[in-house]
């Protein structure tokens, strides 16, 4: 029984590639909590995409800024909050259309937010005085019971 | 840091196997599209080998889509193999399974490409 959330926090540089630090840390915490391998993989991809958004769009690749990733675990849920120090990211998760992409009518990119939404249980985007954030949550449930 | 993508191409007649090694991300344009553009003009069938790719992000998947786009115009048949179950799911969620086949291994991919 966890009385108050257990917090793990990372501060990442605004540099592509460092999303892997966050995704692997999130994976380790999720494994400790007992999430199934499938759900851990889902979380890894979602966290990586959210960090990339923070680096590329929130902080606009400005290496003077950082990305703070806070993992908060309790008995049944893991929350991962990714905060940039810039303007945040747009909150609309556009549904990518593969037919339009293949026809050249839509950019091949722009799939990250859709993946985040699809791979975790809750997503919230917002803006604080220090910058923007994405909050991802996964809940332990029947999918994680063997 | 992101592991730079390496690409090796095995060409045999009209079949090319593009073997990727390392992460596939936004920095992989030369490794994916660059190598695709250098394939022999006789290439009608392409296998994309992801068995040594531990990490793909959405920007890397966008490069795969660009290969599929270009291949569809020739036309060339593209079959992917070696993706983990997670990335088979991600590719399917994004709709790529409509334009390529996702096989578990090279033998199945060679059968699928014909």
């Amino acid at each position: 029984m966890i009385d108050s959330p257990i917090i793990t926090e990372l501060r990442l540089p605004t540099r592509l590639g460092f999303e892997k630090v966050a995704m692997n840390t999130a994976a380790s915490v999720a494994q400790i909590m007992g999430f199934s391998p499938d759900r851990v993989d889902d979380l890894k991809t979602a966290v990586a995409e959210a960090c990339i958004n923070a680096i590329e769009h929130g902080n606009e690749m400005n290496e003077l800024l950082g990305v703070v990733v806070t993992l908060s675990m309790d008995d049944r849920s893991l929350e991962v909050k990714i905060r940039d120090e810039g303007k945040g990211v747009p909150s609309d998760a556009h549904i990518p259309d593969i037919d339009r992409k293949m026809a050249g009518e839509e950019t091949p990119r722009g799939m990250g937010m859709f993946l985040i939404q699809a791979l975790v249980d809750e997503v919230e985007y917002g803006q604080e005085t220090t910058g923007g954030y994405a909050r991802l949550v996964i809940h332990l449930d029947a999918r994680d019971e063997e | 840091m992101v592991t730079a993508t390496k690409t090796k191409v095995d060409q045999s007649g009209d079949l090319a196997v593009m073997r990727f090694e390392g992460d596939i991300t936004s920095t992989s344009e030369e490794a994916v599209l660059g190598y695709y553009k250098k394939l022999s003009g006789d290439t009608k069938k392409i296998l994309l080998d992801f068995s040594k790719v531990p990490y793909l992000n959405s920007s890397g998947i966008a490069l795969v889509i660009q290969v599929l786009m270009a291949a569809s115009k020739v036309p060339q048949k593209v079959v992917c193999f070696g993706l983990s179950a997670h990335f088979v799911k991600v590719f399917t969620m994004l709709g790529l399974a409509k334009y390529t086949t996702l096989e578990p291994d090279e033998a199945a991919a060679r059968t699928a490409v014909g």
Side-chain angles (χ1 to χ4, degrees):
Chain A
M1 177 84 179
I2 299 175
D3 293 327
S4 56
I6 297 172
I7 307 291
T8 305
E9 192 160 277
L10 304 168
R11 182 178 171 85
L12 306 176
T14 295
R15 191 178 287 191
L16 289 173
F18 280 84
E19 72 276 7
K20 293 183 77 176
V21 176
M23 77 180 207
N24 288 324
T25 302
S28 293
V29 175
Q31 285 163 353
I32 288 168
M33 291 182 67
F35 283 97
S36 68
D38 287 352
R39 302 260 274 140
V40 172
D41 282 341
D42 288 352
L43 179 68
K44 284 173 73 174
T45 291
V47 168
E49 294 295 332
C51 288
I52 290 168
N53 284 342
I55 289 167
E56 286 188 331
H57 304 299
N59 287 349
E60 297 180 297
M61 303 293 293
N62 181 348
E63 294 201 1
L64 296 176
L65 304 178
V67 175
V68 176
V69 181
T70 307
L71 299 102
S72 176
M73 63 181 268
D74 61 26
D75 285 326
R76 302 298 305 170
S77 300
L78 173 60
E79 175 191 282
V80 186
K81 193 170 184 182
I82 297 104
R83 283 178 284 193
D84 60 64
E85 293 178 344
K87 59 187 179 67
V89 296
S91 58
D92 54 325
H94 158 77
I95 299 175
D97 185 326
I98 189 63
D99 295 327
R100 284 176 52 83
K101 289 182 189 296
M102 289 293 292
E105 294 167 5
E106 182 178 299
T107 172
R109 296 194 62 172
M111 300 177 286
M113 293 183 79
F114 169 78
L115 284 177
I116 294 167
Q117 189 93 32
L119 293 172
V120 297
D121 296 324
E122 294 176 37
V123 184
E124 177 196 338
Y125 296 97
Q127 192 75 29
E128 295 168 334
T129 50
T130 48
Y133 70 86
R135 182 177 152 272
L136 284 51
V137 184
I138 53 172
H139 303 291
L140 277 166
D141 58 27
R143 290 171 288 179
D144 304 295
E145 288 165 17
E146 293 182 334
Chain B
M1 291 292 284
V2 170
T3 310
T5 320
K6 293 182 191 154
T7 306
K8 182 172 169 282
V9 175
D10 291 330
Q11 185 91 39
S12 176
D14 64 355
L15 172 68
V17 184
M18 295 182 65
R19 302 188 190 279
F20 303 114
E21 189 172 333
D23 301 326
I24 297 185
T25 69
S26 58
T27 61
S28 308
E29 184 160 347
E30 177 55 32
V32 177
L33 286 172
Y35 272 75
Y36 169 76
K37 288 173 185 170
K38 291 176 206 165
L39 292 180
S40 157
D42 296 331
T43 304
K44 292 284 182 268
K45 298 177 280 190
I46 301 169
L47 302 188
L48 300 181
D49 178 0
F50 293 100
S51 59
K52 292 182 181 173
V53 175
Y55 168 62
L56 284 133
N57 63 20
S58 57
S59 298
I61 297 172
L63 294 172
V64 176
I65 290 174
Q66 289 179 73
V67 168
L68 296 179
M69 285 169 68
S72 70
K73 294 182 176 133
V74 177
Q76 294 157 324
K77 186 170 182 181
V78 181
V79 175
C80 301
F81 72 90
L83 287 164
S84 66
H86 172 70
F87 283 107
V88 167
K89 179 170 82 176
V90 169
F91 271 45
T92 304
M93 281 166 54
L94 294 173
L96 275 79
K98 198 170 172 181
Y99 291 96
T100 182
T101 312
L102 308 176
E103 297 291 343
D105 53 46
E106 184 165 351
R110 284 180 179 269
T111 301
V113 82

